[in-house]
């Protein structure tokens, strides 16, 4: 009769441990990717929420004022005005400290219309444009002056 050879149980245990470690490494790599993309999505959501809030504020100021750079600085503090534009700088928490983000309003008003281009930039190496929108409102003051004359 032939003797039965028995395999070592230690080698089966080591093989099983290698498979468990391989599975653990693959699943942890997937979890790291999921958490990294979640962090990026959170940053984008915060940026979009802040852009929406600031766009509403600037639109309301433009609609309710004469559309000059002085009116924007008066109602939305911290702005730096140039000839026909106003810039605001924000940190990564959208507070007015450092320059992580820039909100730029370029005014182009005419006699019958208050208009401007509102742009948001991320102040990184490539100065990336996050969002840009055109704002237009009729100029009520000039229409009232024409009716009086």
């Amino acid at each position: 009769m032939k003797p039965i050879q028995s395999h070592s149980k230690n080698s089966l245990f080591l093989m099983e441990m290698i498979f468990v470690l391989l599975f653990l490494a693959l699943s942890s790599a997937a979890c790291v990717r999921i958490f990294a993309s979640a962090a990026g999505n959170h940053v984008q959501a915060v940026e979009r929420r802040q852009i929406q809030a600031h766009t509403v504020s600037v639109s309301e100021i433009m609609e309710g004022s004469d559309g000059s750079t002085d009116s924007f600085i008066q109602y939305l503090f911290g702005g730096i005005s140039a000839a026909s534009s106003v810039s605001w700088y924000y940190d990564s928490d959208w507070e007015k400290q450092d320059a992580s983000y820039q909100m730029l309003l370029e005014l182009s008003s005419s006699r019958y219309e208050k208009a401007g281009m509102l742009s948001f930039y991320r102040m990184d190496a490539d100065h990336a444009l996050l969002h840009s929108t055109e704002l237009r409102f009729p100029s009520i003051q000039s229409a009232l002056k024409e009716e009086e004359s």
Side-chain angles (χ1 to χ4, degrees), residues 109-127:
S109 300
S110 68
R111 183 175 175 184
Y112 299 105
E113 180 178 64
K114 298 178 281 189
M117 181 64 73
L118 183 62
S119 304
F120 293 87
Y121 296 96
R122 185 181 301 122
M123 302 295 290
D124 52 5
D126 59 349
H127 200 69

Side-chain angles (χ1 to χ4, degrees), residues 57-72 75 84 105-118 133-144:
S57 297
V58 169
S59 299
E60 289 177 354
I61 293 170
M62 182 177 279
E63 184 179 21
S65 69
D66 61 352
S68 67
T69 57
D70 294 334
S71 62
F72 287 100
Y75 295 113
S84 64
L105 175 64
E106 298 173 292
L107 297 170
S108 59
S109 300
S110 68
R111 183 175 175 184
Y112 299 105
E113 180 178 64
K114 298 178 281 189
M117 181 64 73
L118 183 62
T133 187
E134 186 175 9
L135 305 172
R136 292 181 176 273
F137 293 99
S139 181
I140 297 172
Q141 287 86 6
S142 63
L144 291 175

Side-chain angles (χ1 to χ4, degrees), residues 4 16 24 35-36 47 58 73 84-85 91 104 109 111 114 116 120 123-124 127 130:
I4 300 175
E16 185 178 344
L24 182 64
F35 284 123
E47 287 175 350
V58 169
I73 292 175
S84 64
S85 67
D91 67 356
L104 176 64
S109 300
R111 183 175 175 184
K114 298 178 281 189
F120 293 87
M123 302 295 290
D124 52 5
H127 200 69
L130 296 174

Side-chain angles (χ1 to χ4, degrees), residues 24-100:
L24 182 64
L26 291 174
S27 61
S28 65
C31 289
V32 167
R33 288 182 53 112
I34 290 170
F35 284 123
S37 67
N41 288 341
H42 175 72
V43 169
Q44 284 182 344
V46 168
E47 287 175 350
R48 290 178 181 158
R49 186 173 55 241
Q50 292 294 335
I51 287 170
Q52 179 185 12
H54 285 86
T55 301
V56 169
S57 297
V58 169
S59 299
E60 289 177 354
I61 293 170
M62 182 177 279
E63 184 179 21
S65 69
D66 61 352
S68 67
T69 57
D70 294 334
S71 62
F72 287 100
I73 292 175
Q74 178 185 0
Y75 295 113
L76 193 58
F77 302 109
I80 301 168
S81 71
S84 64
S85 67
V86 183
S87 295
W88 292 268
Y89 294 94
Y90 302 98
D91 67 356
S92 59
D93 295 327
W94 290 86
E95 299 292 328
K96 295 179 180 170
Q97 295 172 359
D98 296 331
S100 294

